[in-house]
Amino acid sequence: MIAIIGGSGLNNLSALEQVSEKWVDTPYSEGGVLVTQGHLPGVELPVCFLPRHGKGHVLPPHRINYRANLYALHELGVRAVLAVNAVGGITSATGPGAIVIPDQVIDYTWGREHTFFDGSDSGLSSPDKFSQTVAHVDMTNPYDELLRTLLQDASVNLRHPVVTQAVYGATQGPRLETPAEIKRLAQDGCDIVGMTGMPEAALARELGMAYASLALSVNWAAGISQEEITMEAIHRVLEEGMAVIEQLLLVAVQR
Ligand code: HPA
C-alpha cells in the first residue's frame, strides 16, 4: 500500500474518496497517530494520507513525531511513501514554483528522534518487532529510484517541468536560514533547503519502506534574491503549486 505524507499547503487530498480516519497506536506516541485512508479514482488499493504537521497544521518541523508517523504507516501495511515538502530554492533551477524530485540529502537537523535503532532496549525505543537494537542502514541512495522514476514519468504525462536531480539540505527551523548559512549549504552542494526532509527519509529506510520526496519551492532561500521573504508570497506559491503537486501525485499513483 502507498502513503502520501502531506506538508505545508497539503493538509488533505481532495481527490480521495470513501474516506475513513484511523487512530494508529505506536510505541512512540501517546494517543496514536491519525491517518486518513481512502480511494483515489483509478487506483485499486486504498491510499493513506498523513498530514505531517498534524491535523490543522499545529506541529512545527522540529516537533513533528517522525518516528510515530512512519511507524503508524508501516503498521497499516504501507510499503511505499511519497512525501511532499515545501522548500526554499538555492540553485537557479529551483526558484519559487519549481517542482523538484531530490536524489540526495544532507541532514543539518539536530535533537530530533531520528532512529528506531538507538541501542536501548527500553520498551519505548525498541518495540518487539525490531529484533536488533543497533543497525546502520545504507543511505547511498536515500530516495527510492523506482518511486523517483514514477514521479518523473507522471510529470512528463502532465507536461509539467520538474527538476529531477537535487540535493536537499534539511535544516532545523522553525526560523529561516541566514544568508551565510545558505551560502554554506550552497558550498556543500545543496540545491534546495527545507525543514522536514530528515529524519523522515532515514526512518522510512530503517523500516524498509520505499520513500521519495516531491518538493515544491516556495521562495528563494535567504540571500539568493534581493526580495524580502514574506509569508504572503510563500502562501501564494504554495496554493498554486500544491494544486499541481496533487495532480502529479494522482497521475503517479494511478500508474
Ligand atoms: N528554508 C527552509 N525551509 C523552507 C524554506 C526555506 O527557505 N522555504 C520553505 N521551507
Side-chain angles (χ1 to χ4, degrees):
M1 186 160 50
I2 202 158
I4 291 164
I5 298 184
S8 296
L10 191 69
N11 295 313
N12 64 294
L13 280 183
S14 51
L16 212 57
E17 296 163 352
Q18 304 159 44
V19 176
S20 63
E21 289 190 328
K22 281 198 167 101
W23 282 100
V24 186
D25 283 332
T26 86
Y28 303 100
S29 53
E30 280 168 29
V33 175
L34 186 62
V35 182
T36 303
Q37 244 183 22
H39 284 270
L40 287 174
V43 185
E44 203 173 308
L45 284 175
V47 174
C48 289
F49 181 79
L50 174 54
R52 182 187 287 119
H53 296 273
K55 213 176 177 180
H57 202 284
V58 288
L59 298 168
H62 65 291
R63 294 255 179 241
I64 291 167
N65 193 335
Y66 296 93
R67 289 197 302 184
N69 285 355
L70 288 158
Y71 187 96
L73 293 177
H74 192 268
E75 276 291 287
L76 290 174
V78 168
R79 294 298 177 266
V81 177
L82 296 174
V84 178
N85 305 88
V87 297
I90 299 175
T91 43
S92 59
T94 64
I99 294 178
V100 184
I101 304 167
D103 66 325
Q104 279 296 324
V105 62
I106 300 179
D107 189 2
Y108 301 94
T109 68
W110 49 271
R112 301 181 180 188
E113 296 287 0
H114 64 287
T115 181
F116 292 106
F117 300 113
D118 69 358
S120 152
D121 55 13
S122 75
L124 259 191
S125 52
S126 180
D128 288 342
K129 70 193 303 176
F130 302 111
S131 54
Q132 302 156 274
T133 54
V134 179
H136 307 283
V137 290
D138 178 13
M139 289 290 276
T140 306
N141 296 303
Y143 302 103
D144 183 79
E145 278 306 313
L146 275 176
L147 289 182
R148 292 186 65 251
T149 305
L150 192 73
L151 292 170
Q152 285 172 36
D153 290 351
S155 75
V156 172
N157 262 27
L158 268 188
R159 300 199 191 168
H160 195 283
V162 296
V163 178
T164 56
Q165 242 189 349
V167 179
Y168 180 124
T171 54
Q172 178 70 355
R175 66 167 177 83
L176 295 171
E177 298 72 32
T178 65
E181 286 168 334
I182 292 300
K183 207 166 168 186
R184 174 185 163 211
L185 264 66
Q187 278 163 0
D188 285 354
C190 295
D191 298 289
I192 52 177
V193 55
M195 302 172 191
T196 52
M198 285 294 265
E200 204 172 81
L203 289 167
R205 177 62 51 84
E206 286 190 346
L207 293 180
M209 294 193 283
Y211 179 96
S213 158
L214 189 56
L216 173 69
S217 170
V218 295
N219 58 280
W220 283 113
I224 301 288
S225 138
Q226 301 297 326
E227 268 180 48
E228 199 190 335
I229 303 174
T230 67
M231 286 317 284
E232 221 184 353
I234 286 180
H235 281 297
R236 262 200 310 275
V237 183
L238 260 181
E239 206 166 304
E240 268 181 35
M242 283 302 166
V244 180
I245 293 261
E246 272 205 66
Q247 272 183 306
L248 217 154
L249 286 169
L250 180 59
V251 174
V253 176
Q254 281 170 339
R255 290 176 75 96

